[in-house]
Amino acid sequence: MAVLDLDQLLRKLPLCPGVTVLPIVGSTRALQYVASGLKEFVAPNLTDRADVENPPSPAVAVISAAGAVGKSTLAREIARVRSAPLWDLSHSGPVGQHTLSGALLDAFGPQSIGTAYPLFGSSNLFIVIDALDEARVKVNEASFQAFIRDIASLAAGATSPRVLLLGRTQVAETTWLLLEDAGVRTALYVIEPFTRPQANQYIEGRMRVLSGRRGESVDAHGESFKAARDLIFDHLERALNSNSEGGPSEAAGQFLGYAPVLDSIAVLLAREANWHALQERLRSALHDLDSAGPQGHQTVLEVVVKNVLAREHEEKLVRTIKPALEAGAAAHNWSAWSTLYDAEEQSQRLLARILGITIDYPLQMPKELKLQYEECLDSWLPEHPFLRDGRYAANVVFESYLYAGGLLGEQTDIASAVCRRLNEPLYKPSRLFADFYFRSIPTASGLPEVPPAHLGWLYDSFLSAETDTSFVRLSLEGPDPGEVPREECVDVDGEFIFHAPSASARTFSAVSSREFRSRVRQSDVVTFGRYVRDSAITVPCIVALGGSANEFEIGPSVYILAAELRLNAQTLLVGGHTRSRVVTEQERDQAYDDGGFCLPRWKPRKCCS
């Protein structure tokens, strides 16, 4: 695979006339020029898709990556450097036929649209379109395809890119296939994880932004900062590579170069005032960890997250809580300071703020003192390092940690709110949610026990990490539906199996797995909210396809045998735009022999309304 650095990609793109020649006069906030870049921006490398031969002079370029890799940050930087308009589809309405031409007319106005179109035609102008995922979940398949056909019409015959599109792996792959089918020369690039030097640069840049004026301490205590950073990296690297043969694995590189992981490390380091104490805390916490275990890297990341919470507890207790409440506490003869603002309390209060709910956190303290404490928290909590703008999760590491803990916690109001968030059509899953979930869930007989209602969210979480060189299969093996009495609870063995190219690079082979068990009754429901593919499912309960969206995608390589199969969507998309998987003829024959439902690989997509 050819490696393409950002400068090489930029040279393939036109230098647009920019805001002085082609100003945006419309009121839309979706399509704008980017005036300034991020101080902490680090340019990633890109590669050609492994199974795609990119044309030398594409008319459209599609950039693909797993969730939360930094596509939007890259889109903004490309648009800024090349003075190109950026269309963020997450801030746009539903897309469809003529959406592109309508957006351009609204942005440039009737007076300038006559200037814009000739510039597109002469390849002196291109547009960056970000957030394909958000656009896809807002509309049905037909509308999305109409939108891509509009892009194809604009780009037809161009000798340099007129449109640059960015999205997660699956929607980027689908977009590329649709453009290729339309006869448009389309390149498909993949964002690579940061290398170690890039990761170091990213952490230092983020630290300076997060620290504000204290960023000067990075220079004053450079060696101490690097020692603490490298201590975390070394443990992560050791954990990730302990399960791979023959040196560093691809998974290790992906995790160590994953921007949200680096961001969480930067948050821990950025507000540190005592580097020696931090190193001692980290050494103590990491010393006895089973970092060589199957999920050792997740254990190390959890140490980073918990250290941020522990530091918040210590700092707020000493610097803020005690000084504010000391007089009132003395009047009530109360001194249980250590019970305040611990990790559990912080997590629940953060979740309530992120999810937009109100909770009454139980505190063993006098009512008057509690009221004073709650008033103080209203001003303290928005500044928590887990938050951005006081109400959003700062990154997907913190979000995933909080959601997993909230879903599995004992507070039913918080668990219900997390369920609602995970079911929202615009919620973007992250692999880290499933990783933290399996770190927290109780085990029985050596296996995690996953409630059937949670399986669909875990499946979406693992799917979000698929790349051009990896994918996941789901196996649920339970008794046949007719063999289980109505109210009897039975075990279903489950496994998420992660595949990567074999040594020959012609087929995929299993490289790791995550086993679990689920206790189900006939009345339980296993819901797949968005799509299901590469799955073999035999369960004596209900399987529901679809949730809050109007469409559901199934295939390729799906086998389902259940007590009842429900379709909770207006349209069923059958087949899927995707590359060949690992299902064998024997597996398909067995599926049909068992009376189940199996979709073979490369089956053409069909719509069933």
PDB file of all heavy atoms in Angstrom, residues 577-604:
ATOM      1  N   HIS A 577     -23.339  -3.159   0.630  1.00  0.00           N
ATOM      2  CA  HIS A 577     -22.175  -2.774  -0.167  1.00  0.00           C
ATOM      3  C   HIS A 577     -20.935  -3.073   0.665  1.00  0.00           C
ATOM      4  O   HIS A 577     -20.581  -2.332   1.574  1.00  0.00           O
ATOM      5  CB  HIS A 577     -22.214  -1.270  -0.477  1.00  0.00           C
ATOM      6  CG  HIS A 577     -23.321  -0.860  -1.385  1.00  0.00           C
ATOM      7  ND1 HIS A 577     -23.417  -1.273  -2.690  1.00  0.00           N
ATOM      8  CD2 HIS A 577     -24.407  -0.078  -1.169  1.00  0.00           C
ATOM      9  CE1 HIS A 577     -24.495  -0.735  -3.249  1.00  0.00           C
ATOM     10  NE2 HIS A 577     -25.113  -0.017  -2.341  1.00  0.00           N
ATOM     11  N   THR A 578     -20.256  -4.149   0.393  1.00  0.00           N
ATOM     12  CA  THR A 578     -19.075  -4.481   1.194  1.00  0.00           C
ATOM     13  C   THR A 578     -18.223  -5.492   0.444  1.00  0.00           C
ATOM     14  O   THR A 578     -18.648  -6.114  -0.528  1.00  0.00           O
ATOM     15  CB  THR A 578     -19.477  -5.047   2.569  1.00  0.00           C
ATOM     16  OG1 THR A 578     -18.313  -5.187   3.378  1.00  0.00           O
ATOM     17  CG2 THR A 578     -20.157  -6.404   2.445  1.00  0.00           C
ATOM     18  N   ARG A 579     -16.990  -5.646   0.889  1.00  0.00           N
ATOM     19  CA  ARG A 579     -16.091  -6.588   0.246  1.00  0.00           C
ATOM     20  C   ARG A 579     -16.372  -8.007   0.725  1.00  0.00           C
ATOM     21  O   ARG A 579     -17.106  -8.224   1.681  1.00  0.00           O
ATOM     22  CB  ARG A 579     -14.635  -6.222   0.563  1.00  0.00           C
ATOM     23  CG  ARG A 579     -14.292  -6.276   2.044  1.00  0.00           C
ATOM     24  CD  ARG A 579     -12.961  -5.589   2.300  1.00  0.00           C
ATOM     25  NE  ARG A 579     -12.591  -5.660   3.702  1.00  0.00           N
ATOM     26  CZ  ARG A 579     -13.072  -4.849   4.618  1.00  0.00           C
ATOM     27  NH1 ARG A 579     -13.967  -3.937   4.305  1.00  0.00           N
ATOM     28  NH2 ARG A 579     -12.678  -4.939   5.874  1.00  0.00           N
ATOM     29  N   SER A 580     -15.747  -8.965   0.099  1.00  0.00           N
ATOM     30  CA  SER A 580     -15.965 -10.364   0.434  1.00  0.00           C
ATOM     31  C   SER A 580     -15.468 -10.665   1.840  1.00  0.00           C
ATOM     32  O   SER A 580     -14.475 -10.105   2.301  1.00  0.00           O
ATOM     33  CB  SER A 580     -15.215 -11.257  -0.563  1.00  0.00           C
ATOM     34  OG  SER A 580     -15.428 -12.601  -0.262  1.00  0.00           O
ATOM     35  N   ARG A 581     -16.198 -11.549   2.526  1.00  0.00           N
ATOM     36  CA  ARG A 581     -15.842 -11.924   3.889  1.00  0.00           C
ATOM     37  C   ARG A 581     -15.319 -13.360   3.907  1.00  0.00           C
ATOM     38  O   ARG A 581     -14.802 -13.849   2.911  1.00  0.00           O
ATOM     39  CB  ARG A 581     -17.057 -11.780   4.799  1.00  0.00           C
ATOM     40  CG  ARG A 581     -17.678 -10.387   4.800  1.00  0.00           C
ATOM     41  CD  ARG A 581     -16.705  -9.293   5.215  1.00  0.00           C
ATOM     42  NE  ARG A 581     -17.438  -8.142   5.716  1.00  0.00           N
ATOM     43  CZ  ARG A 581     -16.892  -6.988   5.986  1.00  0.00           C
ATOM     44  NH1 ARG A 581     -15.618  -6.785   5.782  1.00  0.00           N
ATOM     45  NH2 ARG A 581     -17.627  -5.999   6.464  1.00  0.00           N
ATOM     46  N   VAL A 582     -15.530 -14.041   5.018  1.00  0.00           N
ATOM     47  CA  VAL A 582     -14.919 -15.346   5.193  1.00  0.00           C
ATOM     48  C   VAL A 582     -15.924 -16.484   5.267  1.00  0.00           C
ATOM     49  O   VAL A 582     -15.565 -17.592   5.572  1.00  0.00           O
ATOM     50  CB  VAL A 582     -14.068 -15.365   6.484  1.00  0.00           C
ATOM     51  CG1 VAL A 582     -12.903 -14.431   6.354  1.00  0.00           C
ATOM     52  CG2 VAL A 582     -14.925 -15.002   7.694  1.00  0.00           C
ATOM     53  N   VAL A 583     -17.206 -16.192   5.005  1.00  0.00           N
ATOM     54  CA  VAL A 583     -18.183 -17.265   5.064  1.00  0.00           C
ATOM     55  C   VAL A 583     -17.878 -18.299   3.981  1.00  0.00           C
ATOM     56  O   VAL A 583     -17.487 -17.960   2.871  1.00  0.00           O
ATOM     57  CB  VAL A 583     -19.617 -16.725   4.903  1.00  0.00           C
ATOM     58  CG1 VAL A 583     -19.851 -16.186   3.518  1.00  0.00           C
ATOM     59  CG2 VAL A 583     -20.634 -17.797   5.235  1.00  0.00           C
ATOM     60  N   THR A 584     -18.005 -19.562   4.306  1.00  0.00           N
ATOM     61  CA  THR A 584     -17.677 -20.640   3.385  1.00  0.00           C
ATOM     62  C   THR A 584     -18.941 -21.266   2.820  1.00  0.00           C
ATOM     63  O   THR A 584     -20.038 -21.096   3.337  1.00  0.00           O
ATOM     64  CB  THR A 584     -16.858 -21.727   4.102  1.00  0.00           C
ATOM     65  OG1 THR A 584     -17.693 -22.311   5.115  1.00  0.00           O
ATOM     66  CG2 THR A 584     -15.616 -21.133   4.748  1.00  0.00           C
ATOM     67  N   GLU A 585     -18.773 -22.037   1.723  1.00  0.00           N
ATOM     68  CA  GLU A 585     -19.899 -22.754   1.150  1.00  0.00           C
ATOM     69  C   GLU A 585     -20.512 -23.697   2.173  1.00  0.00           C
ATOM     70  O   GLU A 585     -21.731 -23.857   2.248  1.00  0.00           O
ATOM     71  CB  GLU A 585     -19.433 -23.538  -0.089  1.00  0.00           C
ATOM     72  CG  GLU A 585     -18.970 -22.671  -1.248  1.00  0.00           C
ATOM     73  CD  GLU A 585     -20.126 -21.914  -1.880  1.00  0.00           C
ATOM     74  OE1 GLU A 585     -21.283 -22.331  -1.708  1.00  0.00           O
ATOM     75  OE2 GLU A 585     -19.872 -20.890  -2.540  1.00  0.00           O
ATOM     76  N   GLN A 586     -19.666 -24.330   2.985  1.00  0.00           N
ATOM     77  CA  GLN A 586     -20.163 -25.263   3.991  1.00  0.00           C
ATOM     78  C   GLN A 586     -21.056 -24.551   5.010  1.00  0.00           C
ATOM     79  O   GLN A 586     -22.105 -25.065   5.403  1.00  0.00           O
ATOM     80  CB  GLN A 586     -18.991 -25.937   4.711  1.00  0.00           C
ATOM     81  CG  GLN A 586     -19.426 -26.968   5.747  1.00  0.00           C
ATOM     82  CD  GLN A 586     -18.229 -27.609   6.432  1.00  0.00           C
ATOM     83  OE1 GLN A 586     -17.081 -27.278   6.151  1.00  0.00           O
ATOM     84  NE2 GLN A 586     -18.499 -28.537   7.323  1.00  0.00           N
ATOM     85  N   GLU A 587     -20.650 -23.338   5.424  1.00  0.00           N
ATOM     86  CA  GLU A 587     -21.466 -22.583   6.374  1.00  0.00           C
ATOM     87  C   GLU A 587     -22.817 -22.226   5.776  1.00  0.00           C
ATOM     88  O   GLU A 587     -23.861 -22.329   6.430  1.00  0.00           O
ATOM     89  CB  GLU A 587     -20.735 -21.295   6.784  1.00  0.00           C
ATOM     90  CG  GLU A 587     -19.553 -21.525   7.709  1.00  0.00           C
ATOM     91  CD  GLU A 587     -18.843 -20.216   8.003  1.00  0.00           C
ATOM     92  OE1 GLU A 587     -18.371 -19.576   7.052  1.00  0.00           O
ATOM     93  OE2 GLU A 587     -18.786 -19.836   9.179  1.00  0.00           O
ATOM     94  N   ARG A 588     -22.837 -21.824   4.505  1.00  0.00           N
ATOM     95  CA  ARG A 588     -24.101 -21.465   3.883  1.00  0.00           C
ATOM     96  C   ARG A 588     -25.005 -22.685   3.725  1.00  0.00           C
ATOM     97  O   ARG A 588     -26.200 -22.637   3.987  1.00  0.00           O
ATOM     98  CB  ARG A 588     -23.844 -20.800   2.526  1.00  0.00           C
ATOM     99  CG  ARG A 588     -23.201 -19.428   2.636  1.00  0.00           C
ATOM    100  CD  ARG A 588     -23.420 -18.617   1.372  1.00  0.00           C
ATOM    101  NE  ARG A 588     -22.748 -19.190   0.212  1.00  0.00           N
ATOM    102  CZ  ARG A 588     -21.476 -18.967  -0.076  1.00  0.00           C
ATOM    103  NH1 ARG A 588     -20.745 -18.214   0.716  1.00  0.00           N
ATOM    104  NH2 ARG A 588     -20.928 -19.497  -1.144  1.00  0.00           N
ATOM    105  N   ASP A 589     -24.416 -23.812   3.298  1.00  0.00           N
ATOM    106  CA  ASP A 589     -25.210 -25.022   3.146  1.00  0.00           C
ATOM    107  C   ASP A 589     -25.806 -25.454   4.479  1.00  0.00           C
ATOM    108  O   ASP A 589     -26.966 -25.859   4.558  1.00  0.00           O
ATOM    109  CB  ASP A 589     -24.346 -26.148   2.567  1.00  0.00           C
ATOM    110  CG  ASP A 589     -23.942 -25.873   1.120  1.00  0.00           C
ATOM    111  OD1 ASP A 589     -24.568 -24.997   0.489  1.00  0.00           O
ATOM    112  OD2 ASP A 589     -22.988 -26.520   0.643  1.00  0.00           O
ATOM    113  N   GLN A 590     -24.996 -25.357   5.545  1.00  0.00           N
ATOM    114  CA  GLN A 590     -25.475 -25.744   6.867  1.00  0.00           C
ATOM    115  C   GLN A 590     -26.613 -24.834   7.316  1.00  0.00           C
ATOM    116  O   GLN A 590     -27.592 -25.287   7.924  1.00  0.00           O
ATOM    117  CB  GLN A 590     -24.325 -25.685   7.889  1.00  0.00           C
ATOM    118  CG  GLN A 590     -24.704 -26.186   9.282  1.00  0.00           C
ATOM    119  CD  GLN A 590     -25.081 -27.653   9.272  1.00  0.00           C
ATOM    120  OE1 GLN A 590     -24.383 -28.478   8.674  1.00  0.00           O
ATOM    121  NE2 GLN A 590     -26.209 -27.986   9.886  1.00  0.00           N
ATOM    122  N   ALA A 591     -26.514 -23.555   6.993  1.00  0.00           N
ATOM    123  CA  ALA A 591     -27.570 -22.611   7.377  1.00  0.00           C
ATOM    124  C   ALA A 591     -28.899 -22.998   6.739  1.00  0.00           C
ATOM    125  O   ALA A 591     -29.937 -23.032   7.397  1.00  0.00           O
ATOM    126  CB  ALA A 591     -27.175 -21.195   6.951  1.00  0.00           C
ATOM    127  N   TYR A 592     -28.868 -23.300   5.465  1.00  0.00           N
ATOM    128  CA  TYR A 592     -30.108 -23.668   4.796  1.00  0.00           C
ATOM    129  C   TYR A 592     -30.646 -25.010   5.305  1.00  0.00           C
ATOM    130  O   TYR A 592     -31.848 -25.188   5.466  1.00  0.00           O
ATOM    131  CB  TYR A 592     -29.900 -23.724   3.287  1.00  0.00           C
ATOM    132  CG  TYR A 592     -29.676 -22.372   2.669  1.00  0.00           C
ATOM    133  CD1 TYR A 592     -28.511 -22.102   1.962  1.00  0.00           C
ATOM    134  CD2 TYR A 592     -30.608 -21.348   2.812  1.00  0.00           C
ATOM    135  CE1 TYR A 592     -28.301 -20.852   1.393  1.00  0.00           C
ATOM    136  CE2 TYR A 592     -30.402 -20.092   2.253  1.00  0.00           C
ATOM    137  CZ  TYR A 592     -29.244 -19.856   1.542  1.00  0.00           C
ATOM    138  OH  TYR A 592     -29.033 -18.610   0.992  1.00  0.00           O
ATOM    139  N   ASP A 593     -29.743 -25.958   5.583  1.00  0.00           N
ATOM    140  CA  ASP A 593     -30.165 -27.254   6.108  1.00  0.00           C
ATOM    141  C   ASP A 593     -30.860 -27.103   7.450  1.00  0.00           C
ATOM    142  O   ASP A 593     -31.785 -27.839   7.780  1.00  0.00           O
ATOM    143  CB  ASP A 593     -28.963 -28.193   6.260  1.00  0.00           C
ATOM    144  CG  ASP A 593     -28.413 -28.624   4.903  1.00  0.00           C
ATOM    145  OD1 ASP A 593     -29.129 -28.457   3.887  1.00  0.00           O
ATOM    146  OD2 ASP A 593     -27.264 -29.103   4.860  1.00  0.00           O
ATOM    147  N   ASP A 594     -30.398 -26.115   8.259  1.00  0.00           N
ATOM    148  CA  ASP A 594     -30.974 -25.905   9.583  1.00  0.00           C
ATOM    149  C   ASP A 594     -32.288 -25.120   9.536  1.00  0.00           C
ATOM    150  O   ASP A 594     -32.912 -24.892  10.571  1.00  0.00           O
ATOM    151  CB  ASP A 594     -29.980 -25.136  10.481  1.00  0.00           C
ATOM    152  CG  ASP A 594     -28.773 -25.987  10.844  1.00  0.00           C
ATOM    153  OD1 ASP A 594     -28.848 -27.216  10.668  1.00  0.00           O
ATOM    154  OD2 ASP A 594     -27.774 -25.407  11.305  1.00  0.00           O
ATOM    155  N   GLY A 595     -32.680 -24.674   8.353  1.00  0.00           N
ATOM    156  CA  GLY A 595     -33.920 -23.929   8.244  1.00  0.00           C
ATOM    157  C   GLY A 595     -33.795 -22.489   8.661  1.00  0.00           C
ATOM    158  O   GLY A 595     -34.793 -21.818   8.939  1.00  0.00           O
ATOM    159  N   GLY A 596     -32.570 -21.968   8.710  1.00  0.00           N
ATOM    160  CA  GLY A 596     -32.359 -20.589   9.136  1.00  0.00           C
ATOM    161  C   GLY A 596     -32.344 -19.634   7.961  1.00  0.00           C
ATOM    162  O   GLY A 596     -32.736 -19.968   6.843  1.00  0.00           O
ATOM    163  N   PHE A 597     -31.839 -18.444   8.228  1.00  0.00           N
ATOM    164  CA  PHE A 597     -31.808 -17.367   7.244  1.00  0.00           C
ATOM    165  C   PHE A 597     -30.359 -17.002   7.008  1.00  0.00           C
ATOM    166  O   PHE A 597     -29.656 -16.583   7.920  1.00  0.00           O
ATOM    167  CB  PHE A 597     -32.592 -16.172   7.795  1.00  0.00           C
ATOM    168  CG  PHE A 597     -32.624 -14.966   6.892  1.00  0.00           C
ATOM    169  CD1 PHE A 597     -32.734 -15.111   5.525  1.00  0.00           C
ATOM    170  CD2 PHE A 597     -32.566 -13.692   7.418  1.00  0.00           C
ATOM    171  CE1 PHE A 597     -32.793 -14.006   4.696  1.00  0.00           C
ATOM    172  CE2 PHE A 597     -32.615 -12.579   6.606  1.00  0.00           C
ATOM    173  CZ  PHE A 597     -32.730 -12.739   5.245  1.00  0.00           C
ATOM    174  N   CYS A 598     -29.870 -17.197   5.789  1.00  0.00           N
ATOM    175  CA  CYS A 598     -28.456 -16.937   5.508  1.00  0.00           C
ATOM    176  C   CYS A 598     -28.333 -16.102   4.245  1.00  0.00           C
ATOM    177  O   CYS A 598     -28.945 -16.433   3.227  1.00  0.00           O
ATOM    178  CB  CYS A 598     -27.688 -18.249   5.336  1.00  0.00           C
ATOM    179  SG  CYS A 598     -25.920 -18.034   5.097  1.00  0.00           S
ATOM    180  N   LEU A 599     -27.579 -15.027   4.328  1.00  0.00           N
ATOM    181  CA  LEU A 599     -27.310 -14.187   3.166  1.00  0.00           C
ATOM    182  C   LEU A 599     -25.863 -14.381   2.756  1.00  0.00           C
ATOM    183  O   LEU A 599     -24.950 -14.161   3.556  1.00  0.00           O
ATOM    184  CB  LEU A 599     -27.547 -12.708   3.494  1.00  0.00           C
ATOM    185  CG  LEU A 599     -28.990 -12.350   3.839  1.00  0.00           C
ATOM    186  CD1 LEU A 599     -29.043 -10.897   4.299  1.00  0.00           C
ATOM    187  CD2 LEU A 599     -29.886 -12.553   2.649  1.00  0.00           C
ATOM    188  N   PRO A 600     -25.591 -14.816   1.525  1.00  0.00           N
ATOM    189  CA  PRO A 600     -24.208 -15.050   1.107  1.00  0.00           C
ATOM    190  C   PRO A 600     -23.470 -13.751   0.836  1.00  0.00           C
ATOM    191  O   PRO A 600     -24.069 -12.695   0.687  1.00  0.00           O
ATOM    192  CB  PRO A 600     -24.369 -15.869  -0.175  1.00  0.00           C
ATOM    193  CG  PRO A 600     -25.695 -15.454  -0.709  1.00  0.00           C
ATOM    194  CD  PRO A 600     -26.557 -15.162   0.489  1.00  0.00           C
ATOM    195  N   ARG A 601     -22.173 -13.848   0.743  1.00  0.00           N
ATOM    196  CA  ARG A 601     -21.357 -12.683   0.444  1.00  0.00           C
ATOM    197  C   ARG A 601     -21.613 -12.207  -0.985  1.00  0.00           C
ATOM    198  O   ARG A 601     -21.970 -12.976  -1.867  1.00  0.00           O
ATOM    199  CB  ARG A 601     -19.877 -13.020   0.629  1.00  0.00           C
ATOM    200  CG  ARG A 601     -19.427 -14.255  -0.145  1.00  0.00           C
ATOM    201  CD  ARG A 601     -18.026 -14.652   0.236  1.00  0.00           C
ATOM    202  NE  ARG A 601     -17.716 -15.973  -0.313  1.00  0.00           N
ATOM    203  CZ  ARG A 601     -16.579 -16.600  -0.125  1.00  0.00           C
ATOM    204  NH1 ARG A 601     -15.647 -16.052   0.608  1.00  0.00           N
ATOM    205  NH2 ARG A 601     -16.367 -17.784  -0.652  1.00  0.00           N
ATOM    206  N   TRP A 602     -21.408 -10.914  -1.164  1.00  0.00           N
ATOM    207  CA  TRP A 602     -21.532 -10.266  -2.462  1.00  0.00           C
ATOM    208  C   TRP A 602     -22.925 -10.411  -3.083  1.00  0.00           C
ATOM    209  O   TRP A 602     -23.094 -10.356  -4.267  1.00  0.00           O
ATOM    210  CB  TRP A 602     -20.486 -10.790  -3.449  1.00  0.00           C
ATOM    211  CG  TRP A 602     -19.140 -10.249  -3.162  1.00  0.00           C
ATOM    212  CD1 TRP A 602     -18.075 -10.948  -2.698  1.00  0.00           C
ATOM    213  CD2 TRP A 602     -18.687  -8.896  -3.272  1.00  0.00           C
ATOM    214  NE1 TRP A 602     -17.000 -10.127  -2.520  1.00  0.00           N
ATOM    215  CE2 TRP A 602     -17.350  -8.862  -2.872  1.00  0.00           C
ATOM    216  CE3 TRP A 602     -19.301  -7.707  -3.673  1.00  0.00           C
ATOM    217  CZ2 TRP A 602     -16.606  -7.703  -2.853  1.00  0.00           C
ATOM    218  CZ3 TRP A 602     -18.558  -6.542  -3.661  1.00  0.00           C
ATOM    219  CH2 TRP A 602     -17.228  -6.553  -3.253  1.00  0.00           C
ATOM    220  N   LYS A 603     -23.922 -10.633  -2.255  1.00  0.00           N
ATOM    221  CA  LYS A 603     -25.287 -10.624  -2.777  1.00  0.00           C
ATOM    222  C   LYS A 603     -25.659  -9.191  -3.130  1.00  0.00           C
ATOM    223  O   LYS A 603     -25.458  -8.291  -2.323  1.00  0.00           O
ATOM    224  CB  LYS A 603     -26.261 -11.172  -1.736  1.00  0.00           C
ATOM    225  CG  LYS A 603     -27.684 -11.372  -2.260  1.00  0.00           C
ATOM    226  CD  LYS A 603     -28.546 -11.977  -1.185  1.00  0.00           C
ATOM    227  CE  LYS A 603     -29.967 -12.212  -1.678  1.00  0.00           C
ATOM    228  NZ  LYS A 603     -30.036 -13.269  -2.665  1.00  0.00           N
ATOM    229  N   PRO A 604     -26.218  -8.930  -4.331  1.00  0.00           N
ATOM    230  CA  PRO A 604     -26.564  -7.548  -4.682  1.00  0.00           C
ATOM    231  C   PRO A 604     -27.552  -6.951  -3.688  1.00  0.00           C
ATOM    232  O   PRO A 604     -28.433  -7.642  -3.191  1.00  0.00           O
ATOM    233  CB  PRO A 604     -27.192  -7.683  -6.077  1.00  0.00           C
ATOM    234  CG  PRO A 604     -26.684  -8.976  -6.602  1.00  0.00           C
ATOM    235  CD  PRO A 604     -26.516  -9.871  -5.408  1.00  0.00           C
TER     236      PRO A 604
END
